[in-house]
Amino acid sequence: MFRTALRNVLAHKARLLMTVLAVMLGVAFVSGTLVFTNTISDAYQNSSAKGFDGVDVAVQAKYQDSKGDRVGKIPDLSQAVLDKAAKVPGAASATGVVSGFTAIADKDGKLIGGGWQSEGGNYWGTKDARYPLVSGHAPSGKNEVLIDSRTAERAGYQVGDTVRISVDGPVLTPTVAGIFTTDDGNVAAGGSLALFDTATAQQLFGKKGAYDEIDVTAKAGTGQAALKSQLDAALPKKLVETTTGQKLADDQAEQISSSMSGLRQGLLVFAGIALFVGTFIIANTFTMLVAQRTKELALLRAVGASRRQVTRSVLIEAFVVGAVAGVTGLVAGIGIGAGLRSLLGSIGATVPDGPLVVTPGTVAAALAVGVVITMLAAWLPGRRAAKIPPVAAMSALHSAPTTKSLVLRNTIGALFSAAGATVIVAATTMSGSDGQAPMGLGAVLLIIGVFVLTPLLSRPLIAAAAPLLRAFGVSGKLARQNSVRNPRRTAATASALMIGLTLITGMTVMAGSLQKSIDKMASSAIRADYVVSMANGNALSPDVAKKVAATDGVTASSPLRNAASRIDGETEFLTGVDGAAIGKLTDLTVDSGSFRVGGSDVVVDDDTATSHGWKAGSTFTVHYEDGKPQKMTVAAVYQGNQVINGIMLDNAVLTPHVTDPADMQVMVKTANGASSATKDRLEKALGSNPAIKVQDKQDLSNSIAQAFTLILNMVYGLLAMAVIVAVLGVINTLAMSVFERSQEIGMLRAIGLDRKAVKRMVRLESLVISLFGGVLGLGLGVFFGWAAGQLVGAKMPTYELVLPWTRMAVFLLLAGAVGVLAALWPARRAAKLNMLSAIKAE
C-alpha cells in the first residue's frame, strides 16, 4: 500500500501541484514570520546588550510611593550620591547620566527620525567609553554639540556645521563639535542622539546639578554582584536602587522579546488564515481525487485491502505532499523573512545589523505545519475512500450523498450559524474587554456554520445569476448547471475566497466607521482651529503657550497643563486650562451643571465623576503636588472623549503648586480660522521648531486614525496571501473538474460546441463560483464589522456604522476578476481536449 500511495502521488503530479502550492504558501508565511521576528528580536537584543557593556552596576532613583495626601514621584540623583558611588572600594569609575528628548533637524528643517527615537544626553568627557569620537572634540557650552555618526551621515552633517536642535524650549543652533559612534538601540533603529557637556545637559533637561542614572564600572577582580553589594551598603536604600549590568541586559532582552511577540502573533494569525483557506483546497483536492479513483480504490478492496489500508494509503499521499510543501515552504519562508527585513529598510524603519536567524524551532514548525495540516485535511476524504464498497469496481459511478446525510449537514450548519450569531449579538451588549472573547468565539462558530451550509446556500444564490448567464447562451446555461452540480465542491471552492473577503470587508467597515467617528469627535468637541504639541508626545515648555498667545491673529488660546494630585487617597491627574478661554476652544456636551472654570470651580468628565460619585454641586478636597490642600466644587459634568477628558481647573490656581510646569498641548483659536498662512505664522512664531507640531482638526483626526490606517494597509497586504491561496483553490478545482468531465466536454464538442464556447463555459462557471464566495464574504464582513463596532462604540459616543459601498463594490469586482483569471488555464485546457480521446475517457 505504501508503494501504491507513492505511485499515485507521482501519477498525479499536475493535479497535486496546486495543493502543494497552497500548503507551501501557508508554510512559507509561518516560517517567514518566525524568521523575520527572530532576526529582528536577535538584532535588537545584541544591540541593546552592547549598550550595557560599560555598565557593571546602574544606580537609579527609587520611586517614592504615594502615601496619604502626598503625590508619588521619582527624585533626581544628587552629586553627593555620585561621589559616594565613586568611592566604594570595588568601583573603577562612576558616570552620571543625564538624558531627555532632543530633536535634531536635517538641513531642510525636518525632524530626523521618529519623535520618540530622538534622544539627547551628556558627554562625560574625552574618556567617555560609551561614545567613542570619530572626529572633532568634546562639546563645551550651549553652542557645541556631538551627534551620532548615523545621523550625521543621513543628514549630511560634518564637524563645524551648524545644526538646529530643540529640547522643549526655543530652537538651539549649536555647532557640531564632533561625531561619535554608538550601539544605542534607538539610533540603530533610525533615531538620533545628541550629546552636550554635562552642565549644559543638566540645564537643558531640568536636572539642576542632578542625574537620571549613575553607571558604575568595577575594578579588575571585582564581580558585578560584589560591586552591587558594596553600593547597596554605601548608598541610601530608601532613595536609590541598584541593578547589575547583566540584569539590565537580560530585562531589556525580555522586553524586546515581549514586544516582538505581539508582532509575531499578529503575523501568525494571518498565516493561520492562509493555512485555514488552504485546508479547504487540500480537502477539496483529495475529495476529488478519491472520487476520480473510485474504481481503483474499489478494486483494491476487492483484492483484499482493508479499510484501514485504504485510509492509510490516502494519508501517505497527504504526508508526501505535506513534506514536500513543508520543505519548499521553509525555503520560501527564509526568503520572505529576509525580504521583510529589507522592506523595513526601504520604508525608513532601519534595524540593527545582524545575521538572518533560522532556529531549529522554525524548521520543526514549518515541517510540522505542512505535514499536519495536509494530513488533517486529507483524513475525511481518506475515511470516505475506505467506505467504498468493492462492488463499485463494476461501475464508474459512486452513490451520491443520501438525503439523510444532507439533512444532517444542513441541521449542523444551521445550529452552528445560529449559535455563532447569537453569541456575537450577545457580545455586543458587553463592555469592550469582556465582549472580545465571546465575539471571537461567535465569529468562529458562525464561519464554520456558514461553511457547512454553503452547499445549501449555493443553489438559490447561483440561481439568482441565471438571468445574467442566459445572455451567454448555451455556455451560460451549462456554466450555471455545472456550478450547482456538485454543491459540496462549489462550497469548498467558494469558502476559500469567502474567508479572505470576510476579513477584508470587516476591517474596512471598522476602519471607515472609526475614521468617521474620530472626525466627528474632533469637529464636535474642539472649537479651536489648531492644537500645538510635541512630536514625541512629551510635554511642551510653558514658553510655547506664551509665544502662541502673543502671535498676530490669535484670539484665544489655552495650554492643557497636566499635574498629579491626591484625591480621596488616590492619585488623580489634573488638567490646568485658561478658565476664561477654554469655553471658546471646546464644545463639550454638558450633562449637568454650568460649564465654568475658575477659582475653586472645576469641570469633570462623566467617567471620573461616576468613579468618585460626584455630580454638579459636589465638593471634594484636592492635595496638590506640593502637598497643600484645596476644597473644590464640581461646577459641571461633561461627556469626555479620547481628545478631552479629566478634571479641568484654572491654571492660575494649579500652577503655583507645580514645581516644573509642563503643557501636553496648547489649543489655539484664530481670527481667520485654519489656513496655510495662519499655520505658517504660528510655526514661525515658535521658531520653526522641528520638535513641535501645529495641527488643525483634520491633522489631529488623521494622526489619531493613522494607527488604524496603518493596520488596515497591513491587513490588506497580509490577507492578499489568503486570496492568492483562494485563487489556487479555484484553479485547482476547475482543472480537476475539467479532467473529471473530459468525456462530457468531448461529447459537447462532438455535438457542435466550439472551443470558444467551451472556454466561455469554464470561465463563467469560475466567475459564478467566485462571485458566490464574494457575496458571502461581503455579507459576513459587514456583520462582523457592525458587531465589532458595537464594542468600540460603547466607549466612543460619536461612533456610527459606515458602509464603504465603493470599496465593497471593488471587492466584489476583484472577486469576479479572481474567477476570470483563475479560469484561464483550466479553460484553455478544456478547449484543447481532443474530442475523440475525451469521449473514450473513463
Side-chain angles (χ1 to χ4, degrees):
M1 294 303 294
F2 181 74
R3 288 196 299 270
T4 301
L6 290 180
R7 285 171 183 166
N8 280 325
V9 172
L10 296 175
H12 303 108
K13 292 188 288 290
R15 278 181 278 170
L16 291 174
L17 176 62
M18 294 299 174
T19 304
V20 172
L21 285 174
V23 183
M24 185 200 75
L25 282 173
V27 172
F29 209 158
V30 171
S31 55
T33 294
L34 295 175
V35 168
F36 171 66
T37 53
N38 287 338
T39 297
I40 300 301
S41 179
D42 185 73
Y44 274 115
Q45 288 177 17
N46 290 338
S47 177
S48 65
K50 290 179 182 177
F52 296 112
D53 284 348
V55 181
D56 289 313
V57 178
V59 180
Q60 297 166 324
K62 185 181 292 185
Y63 177 73
Q64 306 300 300
D65 291 330
S66 303
K67 292 181 180 179
D69 298 325
R70 185 168 59 84
V71 177
K73 63 180 181 178
I74 299 178
D76 293 327
L77 297 172
S78 66
Q79 183 66 38
V81 174
L82 174 63
D83 293 340
K84 285 184 179 181
K87 292 177 181 178
V88 299
S93 65
T95 304
V97 178
V98 182
S99 62
F101 171 72
T102 303
I104 303 178
D106 60 20
K107 292 187 176 181
D108 295 325
K110 303 296 183 183
L111 177 65
I112 296 175
W116 63 273
Q117 295 171 323
S118 303
E119 289 292 327
N122 65 312
Y123 187 71
W124 197 246
T126 55
K127 296 182 180 180
D128 193 336
R130 299 173 299 167
Y131 310 115
L133 283 176
V134 176
S135 59
H137 58 83
S140 177
K142 280 188 176 182
N143 294 323
E144 290 189 340
V145 66
L146 301 182
I147 60 174
D148 66 272
S149 56
R150 295 193 185 205
T151 298
E153 183 180 353
R154 279 187 292 164
Y157 284 126
Q158 297 178 349
V159 174
D161 289 346
T162 299
V163 60
R164 292 174 62 81
I165 289 179
S166 173
V167 179
D168 65 351
V171 175
L172 305 175
T173 54
T175 300
V176 177
I179 296 172
F180 62 91
T181 59
T182 177
D183 292 319
D184 186 281
N186 282 336
V187 174
S192 62
L193 180 60
L195 299 178
F196 305 90
D197 65 59
T198 298
T200 301
Q202 288 175 327
Q203 181 183 356
L204 290 175
F205 301 131
K207 298 304 174 184
K208 299 178 181 178
Y211 304 94
D212 295 305
E213 180 177 305
I214 297 171
D215 292 340
V216 186
T217 57
K219 290 180 179 178
T222 303
Q224 290 187 354
L227 178 59
K228 181 179 184 302
S229 298
Q230 294 176 9
L231 288 167
D232 288 339
L235 303 178
K237 293 182 180 179
K238 290 184 178 180
L239 297 179
V240 304
E241 55 186 356
T242 59
T243 311
T244 64
Q246 184 60 52
K247 180 68 164 55
L248 289 173
D250 292 343
D251 290 345
Q252 182 78 356
E254 184 178 347
Q255 182 180 355
I256 291 170
S257 180
S258 176
S259 64
M260 292 302 297
S261 68
L263 175 62
R264 182 184 295 113
Q265 290 173 4
L267 292 173
L268 286 175
V269 165
F270 291 99
I273 293 169
L275 285 170
F276 186 50
V277 173
T279 302
F280 291 125
I281 300 171
I282 301 164
N284 212 15
T285 300
F286 278 93
T287 299
M288 295 174 71
L289 286 175
V290 168
Q292 291 172 12
R293 289 160 46 202
T294 298
K295 289 183 67 175
E296 174 190 327
L297 295 172
L299 281 170
L300 288 173
R301 291 291 314 282
V303 298
S306 66
R307 287 188 174 185
R308 184 173 296 177
Q309 285 178 313
V310 171
T311 302
R312 193 181 304 144
S313 71
V314 175
L315 291 178
I316 289 172
E317 290 182 49
F319 176 82
V320 173
V321 171
V324 172
V327 172
T328 54
L330 174 62
V331 174
I334 294 173
I336 288 174
L340 286 174
R341 179 173 177 173
S342 299
L343 179 63
L344 284 181
S346 67
I347 61 176
T350 55
V351 295
D353 296 329
L356 205 63
V357 178
V358 183
T359 64
T362 300
V363 176
L367 295 177
V369 166
V371 172
V372 172
I373 291 293
T374 309
M375 292 186 70
L376 285 176
W379 176 77
L380 187 57
R383 191 164 173 264
R384 288 178 185 160
K387 292 182 178 181
I388 297 174
V391 73
M394 305 299 295
S395 170
L397 299 175
H398 185 48
S399 58
T402 63
T403 303
K404 181 180 178 181
S405 69
L406 292 175
V407 170
L408 179 62
R409 178 186 180 115
N410 293 338
T411 302
I412 293 173
L415 290 175
F416 268 87
S417 299
T422 301
V423 172
I424 289 174
V425 172
T428 61
T429 63
M430 303 177 185
S431 64
S433 56
D434 294 337
Q436 289 176 1
M439 185 165 290
L441 174 63
V444 172
L445 292 175
L446 182 56
I447 287 177
I448 292 173
V450 171
F451 170 66
V452 175
L453 280 176
T454 306
L456 179 66
L457 298 173
S458 64
R459 289 186 178 276
L461 289 178
I462 292 177
L468 296 175
L469 293 174
R470 289 196 193 103
F472 296 95
V474 175
S475 297
K477 184 178 180 180
L478 290 171
R480 185 185 67 81
Q481 292 175 345
N482 289 334
S483 300
V484 296
R485 177 187 296 179
N486 191 330
R488 288 184 175 180
R489 182 190 305 162
T490 298
T493 306
S495 295
L497 195 58
M498 175 193 77
I499 294 171
L501 282 178
T502 295
L503 295 170
I504 290 174
T505 304
M507 289 298 299
T508 303
V509 170
M510 274 290 295
S513 301
L514 285 171
Q515 180 66 64
K516 180 72 172 179
S517 64
I518 291 169
D519 288 344
K520 285 180 64 178
M521 185 190 303
S523 61
S524 62
I526 300 177
R527 288 180 181 171
D529 296 316
Y530 293 99
V531 174
V532 180
S533 61
M534 289 289 281
N536 68 333
N538 281 0
L540 291 161
S541 166
D543 291 337
V544 172
K546 295 177 182 177
K547 290 182 179 180
V548 166
T551 303
D552 290 341
V554 173
T555 58
S557 67
S558 172
L560 271 62
R561 184 164 296 166
N562 278 15
S565 71
R566 297 286 286 177
I567 300 174
D568 297 334
E570 297 180 359
T571 299
E572 193 79 59
F573 281 89
L574 307 174
T575 301
V577 298
D578 186 322
I582 193 65
K584 303 173 186 177
L585 299 167
T586 60
D587 189 16
L588 300 168
T589 301
V590 177
D591 290 337
S592 60
S594 176
F595 193 95
R596 62 180 184 276
V597 179
S600 62
D601 289 335
V602 301
V603 293
V604 183
D605 71 289
D606 46 2
D607 286 342
T608 303
T610 301
S611 66
H612 287 280
W614 297 337
K615 58 184 180 179
S618 297
T619 59
F620 63 92
T621 300
V622 58
H623 288 81
Y624 294 109
E625 181 185 302
D626 59 3
K628 294 182 179 179
Q630 183 172 356
K631 190 173 183 179
M632 294 291 187
T633 301
V634 178
V637 176
Y638 67 92
Q639 293 181 10
N641 53 55
Q642 278 73 14
V643 179
I644 301 176
N645 54 54
I647 303 172
M648 286 193 282
L649 70 162
D650 200 313
N651 272 324
V653 176
L654 175 64
T655 304
H657 302 285
V658 180
T659 305
D660 188 16
D663 304 327
M664 297 311 297
Q665 54 184 275
V666 179
M667 304 179 76
V668 186
K669 185 76 173 175
T670 59
N672 299 321
S675 67
S676 57
T678 304
K679 186 175 182 179
D680 288 343
R681 194 181 307 122
L682 285 169
E683 288 178 342
K684 288 180 181 177
L686 296 172
S688 299
N689 195 322
I692 297 178
K693 297 186 296 185
V694 179
Q695 298 174 295
D696 59 22
K697 291 180 184 179
Q698 191 58 51
D699 293 333
L700 187 64
S701 176
N702 291 342
S703 65
I704 297 174
Q706 187 176 10
F708 302 116
T709 304
L710 178 62
I711 291 172
L712 183 65
N713 291 334
M714 288 180 62
V715 167
Y716 284 158
L718 295 171
L719 287 177
M721 181 70 74
V723 174
I724 291 171
V725 174
V727 171
L728 291 175
V730 177
I731 296 173
N732 204 19
T733 299
L734 290 175
M736 298 184 72
S737 178
V738 166
F739 177 82
E740 187 180 73
R741 289 151 40 198
S742 295
Q743 190 177 55
E744 174 189 320
I745 293 171
M747 288 294 294
L748 290 172
R749 290 289 316 282
I751 62 176
L753 197 68
D754 60 17
R755 289 186 173 183
K756 286 186 178 180
V758 171
K759 284 184 179 181
R760 191 181 303 120
M761 175 187 72
V762 176
R763 288 170 184 166
L764 289 173
E765 179 183 348
S766 176
L767 178 63
V768 167
I769 293 174
S770 297
L771 289 177
F772 169 55
V775 169
L776 288 179
L778 290 177
L780 284 175
V782 169
F783 179 67
F784 289 149
W786 166 81
Q790 294 301 303
L791 288 181
V792 176
K795 292 191 175 182
M796 190 177 287
T798 56
Y799 183 86
E800 66 173 91
L801 181 67
V802 176
L803 296 181
W805 295 107
T806 302
R807 288 199 178 189
M808 288 164 61
V810 170
F811 295 157
L812 195 58
L813 288 174
L814 287 176
V818 164
V820 173
L821 292 173
L824 291 178
W825 178 60
R828 187 179 178 190
R829 182 182 178 190
K832 284 187 173 183
L833 284 176
N834 183 288
M835 67 180 70
L836 294 178
S837 300
I839 291 171
K840 291 189 296 181
E842 295 185 357

